[in-house]
Amino acid sequence: MQKMEQQPQQQNQLTVQNSGSLSFSSQMSKEDEEMSRSALSTFRAKEEEIEKKKMEVREKVQAQLGRVEEETKRLAMIREELEALADPMRKEVAVVRKKIDTVNKELKPLGHTVQKKEKEYKDALEAFNDKNKEKVQLITKLMELVSESERLRLKKLEELSKNIDSMH
């Protein structure tokens, strides 16, 4: 164990020395390269070990969460059963209340639609009645014009007839 502790320290020192020598010389000795590789492989091995342990902890946490979820569901069911004991009709009452709420939510837009359609109907009926009044007025005017035209034509025909009679 003591040897392992000394080895990372030596490797850290070597790495520092290596990085220092890298900046000053472009060639590394084989021994330096071997030490660098060894330090790198040790570092990678530690990283892999850490990642493996991390995954193990994650799996344990997920397993615990699954158990907690199951227990939560079980407790919720027990609570529902306890509440049902307090009022045996409570569940049915809650269901009916939910249905009433749902129907109320559906009624609101339908009520708006009814009001809108009633307004459209009233507007259309008013427009229809206005046009009908206009039509009645036009028919009355037409009848007056036709009557006046007939009266004028009859008058003209009488005058023509008198003119013809006076010629004889």
Side-chain angles (χ1 to χ4, degrees), residues 43-58:
F43 175 75
R44 284 185 183 145
K46 294 274 187 196
E47 283 293 313
E48 288 174 6
E49 184 181 334
I50 289 170
E51 194 60 36
K52 183 179 176 185
K53 285 185 180 184
K54 193 172 160 184
M55 290 303 290
E56 288 173 2
V57 169
R58 242 188 221 140

Side-chain angles (χ1 to χ4, degrees), residues 84-107:
L85 288 175
D87 183 1
M89 298 301 287
R90 187 175 187 176
K91 207 171 198 178
E92 289 82 1
V93 168
V95 168
V96 172
R97 282 187 177 152
K98 274 187 178 180
K99 287 180 181 179
I100 290 171
D101 288 343
T102 302
V103 169
N104 278 337
K105 287 177 185 174
E106 292 170 357
L107 277 175

Side-chain angles (χ1 to χ4, degrees), residues 24-159:
F24 296 113
S25 70
S26 61
Q27 292 183 336
M28 291 177 61
S29 70
K30 285 189 177 187
E31 189 177 297
D32 286 345
E33 282 183 38
E34 189 58 41
M35 282 189 213
S36 292
R37 281 192 206 119
S38 174
L40 190 58
S41 69
T42 302
F43 175 75
R44 284 185 183 145
K46 294 274 187 196
E47 283 293 313
E48 288 174 6
E49 184 181 334
I50 289 170
E51 194 60 36
K52 183 179 176 185
K53 285 185 180 184
K54 193 172 160 184
M55 290 303 290
E56 288 173 2
V57 169
R58 242 188 221 140
E59 288 172 5
K60 287 178 184 177
V61 167
Q62 287 299 331
Q64 287 288 359
L65 285 175
R67 281 189 227 117
V68 168
E69 251 181 61
E70 289 173 17
E71 291 299 316
T72 302
K73 288 177 185 175
R74 200 170 127 243
L75 286 172
M77 288 175 60
I78 291 171
R79 189 178 77 219
E80 283 181 23
E81 288 176 20
L82 278 173
E83 289 175 0
L85 288 175
D87 183 1
M89 298 301 287
R90 187 175 187 176
K91 207 171 198 178
E92 289 82 1
V93 168
V95 168
V96 172
R97 282 187 177 152
K98 274 187 178 180
K99 287 180 181 179
I100 290 171
D101 288 343
T102 302
V103 169
N104 278 337
K105 287 177 185 174
E106 292 170 357
L107 277 175
K108 192 173 184 176
L110 289 173
H112 290 303
T113 302
V114 166
Q115 288 175 344
K116 184 179 174 185
K117 297 290 182 181
E118 282 178 344
K119 184 181 180 330
E120 288 176 9
Y121 170 75
K122 287 177 184 176
D123 291 346
L125 184 61
E126 187 179 328
F128 175 79
N129 288 336
D130 289 346
K131 284 296 174 186
N132 232 359
K133 284 179 188 176
E134 186 180 346
K135 177 184 162 189
V136 168
Q137 289 172 348
L138 289 171
I139 289 173
T140 304
K141 177 121 177 145
L142 177 66
M143 288 173 60
E144 288 173 3
L145 289 173
V146 168
S147 292
E148 181 66 21
S149 174
E150 287 175 356
R151 190 184 62 74
L152 288 174
R153 284 178 24 210
L154 281 174
K155 186 178 178 183
K156 189 71 167 171
L157 281 173
E158 282 179 22
E159 284 178 16

